[in-house]
Amino acid sequence: RHPGRRGGFLVAWLGDEPVANAGYRYSSDGRTVYLSGAETVERWRGRGVYQSLVRYRLDAAARRGCRYAAIRARRDTSLPILIKRGFVDHGHLPIYARPDA
């Protein structure tokens, strides 16, 4: 609730059980929301939990006046869901890591 805060982290609960999480951050100009780090507990996958977290973050961003949403997604899990939601694949984003990391 801090007025200068530009991001956050959500936890989705079904009853007393935490079943998923998701992060987000708004651009400094307030035009874009960056969706990040969403995961769903394995036994709850395929039940719309991830889609609900995407929708929640997009709705919140729209209320704030965001015009754009960006996300890095796994091709084998998240991407098919996001394509159904109207996201467009803009190509591969390589990830570089140190071998000892």
Side-chain angles (χ1 to χ4, degrees):
R1 296 183 189 206
H2 187 277
R5 185 174 174 184
R6 291 184 23 218
F9 190 76
L10 306 171
V11 176
W13 296 78
L14 289 173
D16 293 335
E17 184 178 358
V19 297
N21 64 70
Y24 62 95
R25 183 159 178 83
Y26 297 106
S27 63
S28 59
D29 66 5
R31 296 178 66 190
T32 304
V33 61
Y34 300 97
L35 308 181
S36 61
E39 295 178 284
T40 303
V41 173
E42 189 170 351
R43 73 183 196 91
W44 289 99
R45 292 179 188 158
R47 300 183 188 197
V49 176
Y50 175 79
Q51 292 181 51
S52 294
L53 284 170
V54 171
R55 172 59 34 214
Y56 181 89
R57 293 177 292 169
L58 292 177
D59 289 347
R63 285 192 302 275
R64 284 181 63 122
C66 289
R67 295 186 56 201
Y68 307 101
I71 188 169
R72 287 188 346 215
R74 291 183 173 275
R75 289 188 181 278
D76 58 338
T77 57
S78 303
L79 185 59
I81 296 167
L82 295 167
I83 294 294
K84 289 178 189 173
R85 289 262 179 218
F87 282 79
V88 176
D89 184 356
H90 285 279
H92 177 71
L93 178 65
I95 297 173
Y96 299 94
R98 291 172 34 137
D100 60 347

Short mmCIF file of all heavy atoms in Angstrom, two decimals, residues 27-62:
data_model
loop_
_atom_site.label_atom_id
_atom_site.label_comp_id
_atom_site.label_asym_id
_atom_site.label_seq_id
_atom_site.Cartn_x
_atom_site.Cartn_y
_atom_site.Cartn_z
N SER A 27 6.32 -0.46 -14.80
CA SER A 27 7.39 0.38 -15.34
C SER A 27 7.36 1.74 -14.66
O SER A 27 6.34 2.16 -14.10
CB SER A 27 7.23 0.53 -16.85
OG SER A 27 6.01 1.18 -17.16
N SER A 28 8.48 2.45 -14.73
CA SER A 28 8.56 3.74 -14.06
C SER A 28 7.59 4.76 -14.66
O SER A 28 7.14 5.66 -13.95
CB SER A 28 9.99 4.29 -14.11
OG SER A 28 10.41 4.43 -15.45
N ASP A 29 7.24 4.62 -15.94
CA ASP A 29 6.28 5.55 -16.54
C ASP A 29 4.83 5.09 -16.36
O ASP A 29 3.90 5.77 -16.76
CB ASP A 29 6.58 5.79 -18.01
CG ASP A 29 6.40 4.57 -18.89
OD1 ASP A 29 5.95 3.51 -18.40
OD2 ASP A 29 6.72 4.66 -20.09
N GLY A 30 4.64 3.91 -15.76
CA GLY A 30 3.29 3.42 -15.47
C GLY A 30 2.53 2.87 -16.66
O GLY A 30 1.36 2.54 -16.54
N ARG A 31 3.19 2.71 -17.80
CA ARG A 31 2.49 2.23 -18.99
C ARG A 31 2.53 0.72 -19.16
O ARG A 31 1.75 0.16 -19.92
CB ARG A 31 3.08 2.89 -20.23
CG ARG A 31 2.87 4.41 -20.21
CD ARG A 31 3.47 5.07 -21.40
NE ARG A 31 2.77 4.62 -22.60
CZ ARG A 31 3.19 4.87 -23.83
NH1 ARG A 31 4.29 5.52 -24.03
NH2 ARG A 31 2.50 4.44 -24.85
N THR A 32 3.45 0.04 -18.46
CA THR A 32 3.64 -1.40 -18.66
C THR A 32 3.68 -2.13 -17.34
O THR A 32 4.24 -1.63 -16.37
CB THR A 32 4.97 -1.65 -19.41
OG1 THR A 32 4.97 -0.91 -20.64
CG2 THR A 32 5.17 -3.12 -19.71
N VAL A 33 3.09 -3.32 -17.32
CA VAL A 33 3.25 -4.22 -16.18
C VAL A 33 4.09 -5.39 -16.68
O VAL A 33 3.87 -5.90 -17.78
CB VAL A 33 1.90 -4.70 -15.60
CG1 VAL A 33 1.08 -5.49 -16.61
CG2 VAL A 33 2.13 -5.51 -14.32
N TYR A 34 5.07 -5.76 -15.88
CA TYR A 34 5.91 -6.92 -16.18
C TYR A 34 5.49 -8.04 -15.24
O TYR A 34 5.60 -7.91 -14.01
CB TYR A 34 7.39 -6.57 -15.96
CG TYR A 34 7.86 -5.44 -16.82
CD1 TYR A 34 7.91 -4.14 -16.33
CD2 TYR A 34 8.21 -5.66 -18.15
CE1 TYR A 34 8.32 -3.10 -17.13
CE2 TYR A 34 8.62 -4.62 -18.96
CZ TYR A 34 8.68 -3.33 -18.44
OH TYR A 34 9.08 -2.30 -19.25
N LEU A 35 4.98 -9.12 -15.80
CA LEU A 35 4.55 -10.27 -15.01
C LEU A 35 5.74 -11.21 -14.87
O LEU A 35 6.45 -11.48 -15.84
CB LEU A 35 3.39 -10.98 -15.69
CG LEU A 35 2.19 -10.10 -16.10
CD1 LEU A 35 1.11 -10.95 -16.74
CD2 LEU A 35 1.67 -9.33 -14.92
N SER A 36 5.95 -11.73 -13.67
CA SER A 36 7.15 -12.55 -13.46
C SER A 36 6.91 -13.63 -12.42
O SER A 36 6.06 -13.51 -11.55
CB SER A 36 8.31 -11.67 -13.01
OG SER A 36 8.00 -11.04 -11.79
N GLY A 37 7.69 -14.68 -12.53
CA GLY A 37 7.85 -15.67 -11.48
C GLY A 37 6.62 -16.43 -11.02
O GLY A 37 6.54 -16.77 -9.86
N ALA A 38 5.68 -16.71 -11.87
CA ALA A 38 4.49 -17.45 -11.44
C ALA A 38 4.76 -18.95 -11.41
O ALA A 38 5.39 -19.50 -12.29
CB ALA A 38 3.32 -17.15 -12.36
N GLU A 39 4.27 -19.58 -10.36
CA GLU A 39 4.37 -21.03 -10.22
C GLU A 39 3.10 -21.54 -9.56
O GLU A 39 2.53 -20.87 -8.71
CB GLU A 39 5.55 -21.41 -9.34
CG GLU A 39 6.90 -21.04 -9.91
CD GLU A 39 8.01 -21.41 -8.96
OE1 GLU A 39 8.19 -20.69 -7.97
OE2 GLU A 39 8.67 -22.43 -9.20
N THR A 40 2.70 -22.74 -9.94
CA THR A 40 1.55 -23.40 -9.33
C THR A 40 2.00 -24.74 -8.76
O THR A 40 2.76 -25.46 -9.39
CB THR A 40 0.44 -23.64 -10.37
OG1 THR A 40 0.07 -22.39 -10.95
CG2 THR A 40 -0.79 -24.27 -9.74
N VAL A 41 1.53 -25.05 -7.56
CA VAL A 41 1.84 -26.35 -6.95
C VAL A 41 1.38 -27.44 -7.91
O VAL A 41 0.28 -27.38 -8.47
CB VAL A 41 1.13 -26.48 -5.58
CG1 VAL A 41 1.29 -27.87 -5.01
CG2 VAL A 41 1.65 -25.42 -4.61
N GLU A 42 2.22 -28.44 -8.09
CA GLU A 42 1.98 -29.45 -9.13
C GLU A 42 0.58 -30.05 -9.11
O GLU A 42 -0.07 -30.19 -10.13
CB GLU A 42 3.03 -30.56 -9.04
CG GLU A 42 2.97 -31.50 -10.21
CD GLU A 42 4.14 -32.46 -10.27
OE1 GLU A 42 5.11 -32.31 -9.50
OE2 GLU A 42 4.06 -33.37 -11.10
N ARG A 43 0.08 -30.43 -7.95
CA ARG A 43 -1.23 -31.09 -7.92
C ARG A 43 -2.39 -30.15 -8.26
O ARG A 43 -3.50 -30.60 -8.49
CB ARG A 43 -1.45 -31.80 -6.60
CG ARG A 43 -1.72 -30.93 -5.42
CD ARG A 43 -1.85 -31.82 -4.16
NE ARG A 43 -2.45 -31.11 -3.06
CZ ARG A 43 -3.75 -31.08 -2.80
NH1 ARG A 43 -4.59 -31.76 -3.55
NH2 ARG A 43 -4.22 -30.40 -1.78
N TRP A 44 -2.14 -28.84 -8.33
CA TRP A 44 -3.17 -27.88 -8.68
C TRP A 44 -3.05 -27.39 -10.12
O TRP A 44 -3.86 -26.58 -10.58
CB TRP A 44 -3.14 -26.69 -7.72
CG TRP A 44 -3.63 -27.08 -6.37
CD1 TRP A 44 -2.88 -27.39 -5.28
CD2 TRP A 44 -4.99 -27.22 -5.98
NE1 TRP A 44 -3.69 -27.72 -4.23
CE2 TRP A 44 -5.00 -27.61 -4.63
CE3 TRP A 44 -6.21 -27.05 -6.63
CZ2 TRP A 44 -6.17 -27.84 -3.93
CZ3 TRP A 44 -7.38 -27.27 -5.92
CH2 TRP A 44 -7.35 -27.66 -4.58
N ARG A 45 -2.06 -27.88 -10.86
CA ARG A 45 -1.89 -27.45 -12.25
C ARG A 45 -3.02 -27.98 -13.12
O ARG A 45 -3.60 -29.03 -12.85
CB ARG A 45 -0.54 -27.94 -12.78
CG ARG A 45 0.60 -27.23 -12.11
CD ARG A 45 1.94 -27.71 -12.59
NE ARG A 45 2.99 -27.10 -11.76
CZ ARG A 45 4.19 -27.57 -11.63
NH1 ARG A 45 4.55 -28.67 -12.27
NH2 ARG A 45 5.07 -26.96 -10.86
N GLY A 46 -3.31 -27.22 -14.16
CA GLY A 46 -4.38 -27.61 -15.09
C GLY A 46 -5.77 -27.29 -14.59
O GLY A 46 -6.76 -27.74 -15.18
N ARG A 47 -5.89 -26.49 -13.54
CA ARG A 47 -7.20 -26.16 -12.97
C ARG A 47 -7.54 -24.68 -13.07
O ARG A 47 -8.47 -24.22 -12.44
CB ARG A 47 -7.25 -26.60 -11.51
CG ARG A 47 -7.04 -28.09 -11.34
CD ARG A 47 -7.19 -28.47 -9.90
NE ARG A 47 -6.80 -29.85 -9.68
CZ ARG A 47 -7.14 -30.52 -8.60
NH1 ARG A 47 -7.88 -29.96 -7.67
NH2 ARG A 47 -6.75 -31.76 -8.45
N GLY A 48 -6.72 -23.93 -13.82
CA GLY A 48 -7.02 -22.51 -14.02
C GLY A 48 -6.43 -21.57 -13.00
O GLY A 48 -6.70 -20.37 -13.04
N VAL A 49 -5.62 -22.08 -12.09
CA VAL A 49 -5.04 -21.21 -11.05
C VAL A 49 -4.08 -20.20 -11.69
O VAL A 49 -4.16 -19.00 -11.41
CB VAL A 49 -4.32 -22.04 -9.96
CG1 VAL A 49 -3.63 -21.13 -8.96
CG2 VAL A 49 -5.30 -22.97 -9.27
N TYR A 50 -3.18 -20.68 -12.55
CA TYR A 50 -2.24 -19.78 -13.22
C TYR A 50 -3.00 -18.73 -14.04
O TYR A 50 -2.68 -17.53 -13.97
CB TYR A 50 -1.30 -20.59 -14.11
CG TYR A 50 -0.37 -19.75 -14.95
CD1 TYR A 50 0.77 -19.19 -14.39
CD2 TYR A 50 -0.63 -19.51 -16.28
CE1 TYR A 50 1.63 -18.41 -15.15
CE2 TYR A 50 0.22 -18.74 -17.06
CZ TYR A 50 1.34 -18.19 -16.48
OH TYR A 50 2.18 -17.41 -17.24
N GLN A 51 -4.00 -19.16 -14.77
CA GLN A 51 -4.80 -18.22 -15.57
C GLN A 51 -5.46 -17.17 -14.69
O GLN A 51 -5.55 -15.99 -15.07
CB GLN A 51 -5.86 -18.97 -16.36
CG GLN A 51 -5.29 -19.84 -17.45
CD GLN A 51 -6.38 -20.54 -18.23
OE1 GLN A 51 -7.32 -19.89 -18.69
NE2 GLN A 51 -6.26 -21.84 -18.38
N SER A 52 -5.91 -17.57 -13.52
CA SER A 52 -6.52 -16.61 -12.60
C SER A 52 -5.51 -15.57 -12.12
O SER A 52 -5.84 -14.38 -12.00
CB SER A 52 -7.12 -17.33 -11.40
OG SER A 52 -8.20 -18.15 -11.80
N LEU A 53 -4.29 -16.00 -11.86
CA LEU A 53 -3.25 -15.06 -11.44
C LEU A 53 -2.88 -14.10 -12.57
O LEU A 53 -2.63 -12.92 -12.33
CB LEU A 53 -2.02 -15.80 -10.94
CG LEU A 53 -2.15 -16.40 -9.55
CD1 LEU A 53 -0.95 -17.31 -9.26
CD2 LEU A 53 -2.27 -15.32 -8.51
N VAL A 54 -2.84 -14.60 -13.80
CA VAL A 54 -2.57 -13.72 -14.94
C VAL A 54 -3.69 -12.69 -15.04
O VAL A 54 -3.43 -11.48 -15.14
CB VAL A 54 -2.45 -14.52 -16.26
CG1 VAL A 54 -2.40 -13.59 -17.47
CG2 VAL A 54 -1.21 -15.41 -16.24
N ARG A 55 -4.93 -13.14 -15.02
CA ARG A 55 -6.08 -12.24 -15.14
C ARG A 55 -6.08 -11.20 -14.02
O ARG A 55 -6.31 -10.02 -14.25
CB ARG A 55 -7.38 -13.06 -15.12
CG ARG A 55 -8.66 -12.26 -15.06
CD ARG A 55 -8.98 -11.25 -16.15
NE ARG A 55 -8.53 -11.60 -17.46
CZ ARG A 55 -8.10 -10.71 -18.37
NH1 ARG A 55 -8.05 -9.44 -18.10
NH2 ARG A 55 -7.71 -11.09 -19.56
N TYR A 56 -5.82 -11.62 -12.79
CA TYR A 56 -5.82 -10.71 -11.65
C TYR A 56 -4.80 -9.59 -11.86
O TYR A 56 -5.10 -8.41 -11.67
CB TYR A 56 -5.52 -11.48 -10.36
CG TYR A 56 -5.53 -10.62 -9.13
CD1 TYR A 56 -6.69 -10.40 -8.42
CD2 TYR A 56 -4.36 -10.00 -8.69
CE1 TYR A 56 -6.70 -9.59 -7.30
CE2 TYR A 56 -4.36 -9.20 -7.57
CZ TYR A 56 -5.53 -8.99 -6.88
OH TYR A 56 -5.53 -8.19 -5.77
N ARG A 57 -3.58 -9.97 -12.28
CA ARG A 57 -2.54 -8.97 -12.47
C ARG A 57 -2.84 -8.05 -13.65
O ARG A 57 -2.58 -6.85 -13.59
CB ARG A 57 -1.17 -9.65 -12.63
CG ARG A 57 -0.73 -10.34 -11.34
CD ARG A 57 0.58 -11.08 -11.49
NE ARG A 57 0.40 -12.24 -12.37
CZ ARG A 57 1.40 -12.95 -12.87
NH1 ARG A 57 2.66 -12.63 -12.60
NH2 ARG A 57 1.17 -14.00 -13.63
N LEU A 58 -3.41 -8.59 -14.72
CA LEU A 58 -3.77 -7.76 -15.86
C LEU A 58 -4.89 -6.78 -15.51
O LEU A 58 -4.85 -5.61 -15.90
CB LEU A 58 -4.19 -8.62 -17.05
CG LEU A 58 -3.09 -9.46 -17.69
CD1 LEU A 58 -3.67 -10.33 -18.81
CD2 LEU A 58 -1.95 -8.61 -18.20
N ASP A 59 -5.88 -7.24 -14.77
CA ASP A 59 -6.98 -6.37 -14.35
C ASP A 59 -6.46 -5.24 -13.46
O ASP A 59 -6.85 -4.08 -13.61
CB ASP A 59 -8.06 -7.16 -13.62
CG ASP A 59 -8.86 -8.06 -14.54
OD1 ASP A 59 -8.76 -7.92 -15.78
OD2 ASP A 59 -9.59 -8.93 -14.02
N ALA A 60 -5.58 -5.58 -12.51
CA ALA A 60 -5.01 -4.56 -11.62
C ALA A 60 -4.21 -3.54 -12.42
O ALA A 60 -4.28 -2.33 -12.16
CB ALA A 60 -4.15 -5.21 -10.55
N ALA A 61 -3.45 -4.02 -13.41
CA ALA A 61 -2.65 -3.12 -14.24
C ALA A 61 -3.55 -2.19 -15.06
O ALA A 61 -3.26 -1.00 -15.19
CB ALA A 61 -1.74 -3.93 -15.15
N ALA A 62 -4.62 -2.73 -15.60
CA ALA A 62 -5.55 -1.91 -16.38
C ALA A 62 -6.16 -0.82 -15.52
O ALA A 62 -6.30 0.33 -15.95
CB ALA A 62 -6.64 -2.78 -17.01
#
